[in-house]
Amino acid sequence: MIEKSGSNRILKSSFNFKMKELDIAKFGGTSVGNFKAMLSSYKVSISNKATKLVVISACSGVTNILVELASGACNSVKVDELISKLRDIHYEIIAGLGGEQELKDHIEEHLIEIRKLAQEASMERSDDLTDRIVSHGELMSSYLFAALFNHFGTKAIWFDIRRVMRTDSAFGCAVPLVEVIGSLCKEHLQPLLEGDAIVISQGFIASNSEGQTTTLGRGGSDYSAALLGEACNATSISIWTDVPGVYTTDPRIVPHAKAIPELTYLEAAEMATFGAKILHPSTLVPAVRRDIPVYVGSSREPEKGGTWVRTKTESHPAFRAVALRKNQSLIVLSSPKMVGASGFLAKVFEVFAQYKRSVDLVSTSEVSIAITLDAGTNTSGINQAIPDQMLADLRCFCHVKVESGLSLVAVIGNQMSDIPGLTTEALSAIRDYSVKMICYGASSHNLCFLLKAEDAPDALVKIHKHLLED
Ligand code: ADP
Ligand code: ASP
Ligand code: MG
């Protein structure tokens, strides 16, 4: 049984509490997925006296269920089945808390609202409706997590983060309005953080200036924690997940990958950008702006230690990690008029800018330009990468070829362009695969290969073995 006081310190890690320290702890879906996981996360939260704000994801699997309900494609039998799955997940946690009726009633209110919104979606789905539906995941999990704190004698306040997390109206992948968030936090959140209760709130969800619910895109809770860290002047941001830190590559692909004790912001940002799912790609941006160290650890096994991400590290290895980014598309634009002409690239990028599509990798030749785009999805699961109209606009002045079903394998390291023979080393590891594109030189921190999606995981295993194991 768990101690009922807040004095339980299971982390013998580098946390060193001083009066002014403020840690924002974020717990991902698996860390709050059931009663046992929530209990571990509770212990982790109270073990660090500086943790005053806890931001959590929906219970594991819940956002996927809500996205399905929001798709508008579920008949009434399917809706019943999904709602009952949601009930089971949350009732299991309530059972651990003694089965309180008040908690069940609260979850039932959410389920009634979700059912009503799912019916609306079956008539006409939309990204704003999806955001309203999926927000219930974080609202339910955070309510139960706050109840768990109070159940075990730690004073906790539930806080609706939509009061301070302000974004634009790009439903499904909204852009945070950093200055507004700063002043709203000062007004509504900071006073609570100075009190004696721990504030429990939601990641991922936010609101626009009209008060409509928005979301930061799938996996966005890490980003929420970092934005709140920035707004509240936190001294650390802790990302608690299902692995003890950031590894040399995804341990699901290479089980013997090694944990990395410390990373620079730059290295971690490159890893996140190039697909290391452990951190949402935007997470490091607010942390860098305020120079807030980010800790990544396992909520289930906090004693295993984790990774500190900060400005400087003691080691700067040439090869730090390998990442895999799926769902890539390659667009090759060619025109004989490009030879010796100027302004072609500007014209191309203008079209991409007009459609607000961010270009990732670029490579050019005499008559063509190759560009990769992330065919990632917003919260609704809608592929946003290549609008037909954008391709039509490009076809007005050049030939356009699109190839999908590709993945990017990125080697992340330091001063890579200064090391003789480095590209040969990496290339020799993947000699058996056809490489669609290579990007190297723009940053001394990465070397990227675009490969067929089906080849990429094997290629990653080989590169990892060759560069980080042998
Ligand atoms: P959470 O729900 O806690 O946000 P995620 O599933 O989003 O957790 O991220 C954790 C997962 O990220 C791990 O289970 C692991 O499979 C994956 N991952 C990908 N790349 C890495 C890496 N380099 N190091 C550690 N984990 C990684
Ligand atoms: N619950 C959201 C998702 O599953 C956000 C997150 O977990 O970070 O994408
Ligand atoms: Mg995540």
Side-chain angles (χ1 to χ4, degrees):
M1 196 61 188
I2 191 163
E3 290 172 25
K4 290 214 172 192
S5 81
S7 61
N8 182 9
R9 288 196 68 90
I10 46 174
L11 288 186
K12 297 177 197 76
S13 72
S14 25
F15 292 127
N16 213 352
F17 180 62
K18 283 186 253 125
M19 269 323 277
K20 285 275 180 314
E21 280 191 81
L22 170 65
D23 175 65
I24 315 278
K26 175 260 167 175
F27 293 91
T30 45
S31 301
V32 292
N34 53 43
F35 179 71
K36 195 169 164 225
M38 273 203 180
L39 199 53
S40 302
S41 297
Y42 165 68
K43 290 183 195 176
V44 167
S45 307
I46 60 171
S47 71
N48 181 3
K49 291 278 182 289
T51 302
K52 295 287 295 173
L53 174 60
V54 174
V55 173
I56 72 168
S57 297
C59 303
S60 177
V62 164
T63 308
N64 287 349
I65 294 176
L66 293 169
V67 168
E68 199 174 341
L69 285 165
S71 69
C74 302
N75 61 25
S76 61
V77 177
K78 188 72 189 170
V79 170
D80 284 347
E81 184 196 313
L82 294 176
I83 296 269
S84 121
K85 272 192 192 168
L86 291 175
R87 181 176 292 111
D88 290 349
I89 293 170
H90 296 96
Y91 271 38
E92 187 270 343
I93 296 165
I94 296 173
L97 295 173
E100 273 179 54
Q101 191 57 41
E102 186 272 321
L103 296 176
K104 288 185 185 166
D105 292 345
H106 184 86
I107 295 300
E108 287 305 324
E109 278 171 31
H110 279 285
L111 297 181
I112 288 169
E113 181 67 10
I114 292 166
R115 184 185 290 278
K116 194 186 103 206
L117 296 173
Q119 267 155 7
E120 271 181 47
S122 67
M123 286 180 274
E124 191 179 3
R125 74 145 299 279
S126 64
D127 285 347
D128 58 327
L129 186 52
T130 301
D131 280 357
R132 274 167 72 198
I133 296 176
V134 297
S135 68
H136 287 274
E138 271 69 13
L139 292 171
M140 289 190 282
S141 61
S142 57
Y143 191 83
L144 295 185
F145 201 42
L148 187 143
F149 273 64
N150 288 313
H151 181 83
F152 288 113
T154 303
K155 213 163 142 194
I157 306 170
W158 181 86
F159 182 81
D160 188 337
I161 209 67
R162 292 172 296 181
R163 291 174 63 196
V164 298
M165 189 59 75
R166 183 61 54 79
T167 64
D168 68 4
S169 298
F171 298 101
C173 203
V175 178
L177 306 176
V178 173
E179 281 182 18
V180 188
I181 294 170
S183 51
L184 289 173
C185 280
K186 210 170 190 180
E187 192 183 343
H188 302 293
L189 190 53
Q190 208 83 47
L192 297 180
L193 299 181
E194 276 148 30
D196 59 349
I198 295 185
V199 179
I200 310 287
S201 196
Q202 310 82 39
F204 179 54
I205 69 172
S207 70
N208 66 11
S209 56
E210 278 97 63
Q212 292 170 290
T213 299
T214 58
T215 58
L216 301 179
R218 293 304 302 267
S221 297
D222 304 328
Y223 191 21
S224 302
L227 288 162
L228 292 167
E230 177 183 31
C232 299
N233 269 320
T235 47
S236 62
I237 298 161
S238 305
I239 306 289
W240 294 102
T241 180
D242 58 358
V243 280
V246 182
Y247 279 55
T248 47
T249 196
D250 187 342
R252 280 185 213 184
I253 306 178
V254 179
H256 52 278
K258 288 203 173 63
I260 307 170
E262 50 170 15
L263 279 172
T264 61
Y265 289 128
L266 242 156
E267 291 169 327
E270 295 269 1
M271 286 181 75
T273 304
F274 287 111
K277 189 184 167 230
I278 186 142
L279 290 173
H280 180 278
S282 305
T283 311
L284 277 318
V285 178
V288 170
R289 281 196 292 253
R290 283 282 163 106
D291 197 6
I292 309 169
V294 177
Y295 182 78
V296 181
S298 158
S299 61
R300 196 160 45 96
E301 301 171 302
E303 69 287 349
K304 284 202 168 165
T307 302
W308 275 106
V309 184
R310 49 187 154 218
T311 319
K312 283 193 185 135
T313 55
E314 272 178 24
S315 69
H316 311 93
F319 304 121
R320 181 67 98 176
V322 191
L324 174 69
R325 185 155 132 187
K326 297 180 184 164
N327 295 321
Q328 300 299 297
S329 296
L330 175 68
I331 304 191
V332 180
L333 308 160
S334 50
S335 165
K337 289 186 202 140
M338 205 176 148
V339 187
S342 59
F344 182 79
L345 293 186
K347 224 165 143 185
V348 166
F349 289 125
E350 202 179 299
V351 175
F352 282 94
Q354 194 187 327
Y355 287 88
K356 294 202 167 101
R357 289 301 174 275
S358 93
V359 166
D360 290 324
L361 305 184
V362 182
S363 168
T364 62
S365 80
E366 268 298 276
V367 290
S368 60
I369 162 167
I371 287 172
T372 65
L373 291 186
D374 194 308
T377 55
N378 68 4
T379 297
S380 307
I382 307 288
N383 181 332
Q384 298 188 300
I386 317 173
D388 288 341
Q389 192 53 47
M390 183 177 88
L391 294 180
D393 289 0
L394 289 166
R395 285 197 176 102
C396 291
F397 61 94
C398 59
H399 178 260
V400 182
K401 192 177 139 217
V402 180
E403 191 175 349
S404 299
L406 304 170
S407 291
L408 210 57
V409 174
V411 182
I412 290 110
N414 294 283
Q415 280 99 41
M416 292 171 74
S417 44
D418 298 337
I419 302 165
L422 181 144
T423 35
T424 326
E425 287 244 337
L427 272 169
S428 70
I430 51 167
R431 64 173 81 84
D432 299 337
Y433 306 99
S434 56
V435 179
K436 302 272 170 191
M437 184 171 169
I438 298 179
C439 248
Y440 178 59
S443 154
S444 60
H445 292 279
N446 71 58
L447 164 60
C448 300
F449 301 106
L450 189 68
L451 301 156
K452 279 194 224 150
E454 61 270 28
D455 290 342
D458 284 347
L460 178 140
V461 169
K462 289 200 170 119
I463 293 187
H464 187 271
K465 180 160 176 28
H466 195 63
L467 302 183
L468 288 144
E469 296 169 42
D470 286 349

